[in-house]
């Protein structure tokens, strides 16, 4: 059984997913607030509990950005920055992305449609 958990963790990491650190416990995704900052620049404030892994928090914000891009009729997003804060067992992230119809320049780009599908398969809400 331990080998299966290790294989699952490797596959999840390879697919860009984030790992939950409390055994089989699932994080509690407690909400997304979206703010349009300027034109194609958007801020996502996300809150969640039930993990010690900051990658889970940043992945939640990425899922929100991908869904927002699709809602606006765009196909791509590019990560600008993410600020993380943990108080008690609650994580908060303030993440900023640009959204665009075409693949933006930069290393931290995401294909919105692929990302939303992956988030859904991983059980991460996008709205």
């Amino acid at each position: 059984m331990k080998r299966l958990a290790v294989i699952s963790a490797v596959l999840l990491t390879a697919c860009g997913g984030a790992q939950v650190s409390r055994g089989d416990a699932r994080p509690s995704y407690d909400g997304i607030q979206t703010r349009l900052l300027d034109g194609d620049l958007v801020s996502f404030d996300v809150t969640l509990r039930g993990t010690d892994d900051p990658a889970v928090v940043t992945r939640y914000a990425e899922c929100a950005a991908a869904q927002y891009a699709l809602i606006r009729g765009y196909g791509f997003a590019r990560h600008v920055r993410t600020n993380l804060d943990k108080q008690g067992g609650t994580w908060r992230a303030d993440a900023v992305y640009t959204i665009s119809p075409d693949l933006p320049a930069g290393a931290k780009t995401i294909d919105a449609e692929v990302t939303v599908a992956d988030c859904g398969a991983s059980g991460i809400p996008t709205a």
Side-chain angles (χ1 to χ4, degrees), residues 1-17 19:
M1 192 64 157
K2 195 175 227 180
R3 182 176 174 176
L4 180 60
V6 171
I7 291 170
S8 296
V10 169
L11 289 173
L12 189 60
T13 301
C15 293
Q19 178 131 345

Side-chain angles (χ1 to χ4, degrees), residues 13-95:
T13 301
C15 293
Q19 178 131 345
V20 177
S21 62
R22 291 188 187 175
D24 292 336
R26 304 273 309 162
S28 172
Y29 298 97
D30 294 339
I32 300 167
Q33 293 183 342
T34 306
R35 288 187 320 252
L36 182 61
L37 299 176
D38 184 39
D40 64 351
L41 194 63
V42 186
S43 172
F44 301 91
D45 294 322
V46 300
T47 305
L48 68 123
R49 294 174 285 123
T51 185
D52 292 325
D53 187 352
V56 175
V57 186
T58 57
R59 182 69 174 154
Y60 186 27
E62 182 178 273
C63 292
Q67 181 65 50
Y68 183 84
L70 291 178
I71 289 169
R72 292 292 185 179
Y74 295 125
F76 300 93
R78 181 178 56 83
H79 180 255
V80 176
R81 65 124 177 102
T82 300
N83 294 320
L84 296 173
D85 180 49
K86 184 178 182 188
Q87 294 181 0
T90 302
W91 283 95
R92 288 182 175 72
D94 170 20

